[in-house]
Amino acid sequence: MHDFTPLPALFGGLLIGLAAAMLLLTHGRVAGVSGLYGQLFTRDRDGRALAAWFVVGLVGSGVVVGSVWPAAFPALASRSTGLTIVAGLLVGYGTRLGNGCTSGHGVCGIGRFSVRSIVATCTFVLTGALTVFALGRLS
Amino acid sequence: MKGVALGAASGALFGVGLALSGMVRPAKVLGFLDVAGAWDASLAFVMVGAIAVYAVAYRLIARRGRPLFDEKLHVPTPKRIDAPLVVGAAVFGIGWGLGGFCPGPALVSLGALAPQALPFTAAMTVGILLQRARR
């Protein structure tokens, strides 16, 4: 294994779980980023306000971490812009169609032992791995 | 709804967790998905840590019954495993494997002005709107 970093990964995961738990405790909402970000484009004013604050916090944390610890982020792109745009379209469409992403299904759903989320997570990890494999074969 | 600004604290903590975990590095995500190649299992530890904490918290909060600033929990009720779930997840996974970004890390990366964060987020937004339009 190259670049194996289990401890920061685990610790980061604990914080993610804590943050998701916090949102559940304060407002009873699932901390699914695709759902929360998607809510910004709906008419549900209550949900939209909470979602907007969550997204502000998320982007804001990037602003702060980006300035005090820039090494947390890559300096170079891993994929071309064209591929990234296709990726973004699929992620946006797929997460809404499937009603969740790595945080919504992978963390919150599995944390509730939701069979739907377990199935969803296995599915996107599988197709993710197949895609990386296919791209590796093609290049 | 009261206390909505607290959502920012959750989002900020979430983002810091993502940054610490390495999920804001597409290369690391792709390394996790590169099962057949130079596999980096780190992301599995992110999931384990997050799920462990959330599972415990969920049990406690569900037992409490209601959140602090709302009348009830807004947690999805169990439904059948249907085509939109599986197809949606499959499509998301392909996008994840193509770009190395999922929504959370993309937004954090956007704040940090990291490479490809803006085109990814813009395209992701279009994808979301397209799906809503087709509903």
Side-chain angles (χ1 to χ4, degrees):
Chain A
M1 278 184 217
H2 80 123
D3 198 22
F4 181 47
T5 56
L7 289 179
L10 188 69
F11 188 63
L14 297 180
L15 293 186
I16 290 167
L18 217 62
M22 182 180 170
L23 191 67
L24 187 69
L25 177 65
T26 59
H27 293 88
R29 303 267 169 168
V30 169
V33 182
S34 70
L36 288 166
Y37 183 68
Q39 269 207 301
L40 299 183
F41 309 102
T42 68
R43 292 217 173 84
D44 171 16
R45 268 149 126 246
D46 267 352
R48 218 166 52 193
L50 180 67
W53 281 108
F54 187 88
V55 171
V56 163
L58 210 51
V59 176
S61 72
V63 174
V64 174
V65 175
S67 57
V68 305
W69 182 34
F73 301 92
L76 301 171
S78 295
R79 299 289 206 219
S80 67
T81 304
L83 206 56
T84 300
I85 287 171
V86 174
L89 285 168
L90 294 176
V91 167
Y93 196 94
T95 53
R96 290 294 74 225
L97 181 64
N99 205 35
C101 58
T102 40
S103 51
H105 281 309
V107 175
C108 300
I110 296 181
R112 293 190 331 262
F113 304 115
S114 155
V115 179
R116 265 177 65 91
S117 290
I118 292 168
V119 168
T121 304
C122 289
T123 303
F124 60 67
V125 171
L126 177 67
T127 62
L130 286 171
T131 300
V132 168
F133 179 76
L135 274 185
R137 282 268 167 269
L138 287 170
S139 58
Chain B
M1 206 194 290
K2 300 210 289 255
V4 287
L6 278 175
S10 300
L13 184 62
F14 201 99
V16 170
L18 282 174
L20 274 170
S21 71
M23 279 202 78
V24 296
R25 315 186 119 261
K28 205 149 177 66
V29 173
L30 298 171
F32 171 71
L33 295 172
D34 190 17
V35 198
W39 185 46
D40 175 1
S42 305
L43 251 43
F45 284 77
V46 183
M47 300 291 282
V48 166
I51 291 169
V53 169
Y54 193 78
V56 172
Y58 180 75
R59 297 290 294 267
L60 295 171
I61 295 166
R63 196 175 302 167
R64 183 184 200 275
R66 50 161 297 186
L68 296 175
F69 295 100
D70 205 338
E71 302 109 40
K72 61 179 172 82
L73 297 179
H74 301 264
V75 172
T77 49
K79 286 177 291 185
R80 285 173 32 238
I81 291 161
D82 53 18
L85 179 80
V86 179
V87 173
V91 168
F92 162 49
I94 295 171
W96 197 30
L98 284 179
F101 280 115
C102 59
L107 291 170
V108 178
S109 299
L110 188 67
L113 301 174
Q116 305 297 17
L118 184 58
F120 182 88
T121 304
M124 180 177 76
T125 307
V126 172
I128 289 171
L129 294 172
L130 274 173
Q131 198 282 324
R132 280 185 53 80
R134 293 201 64 210
R135 257 208 260 132

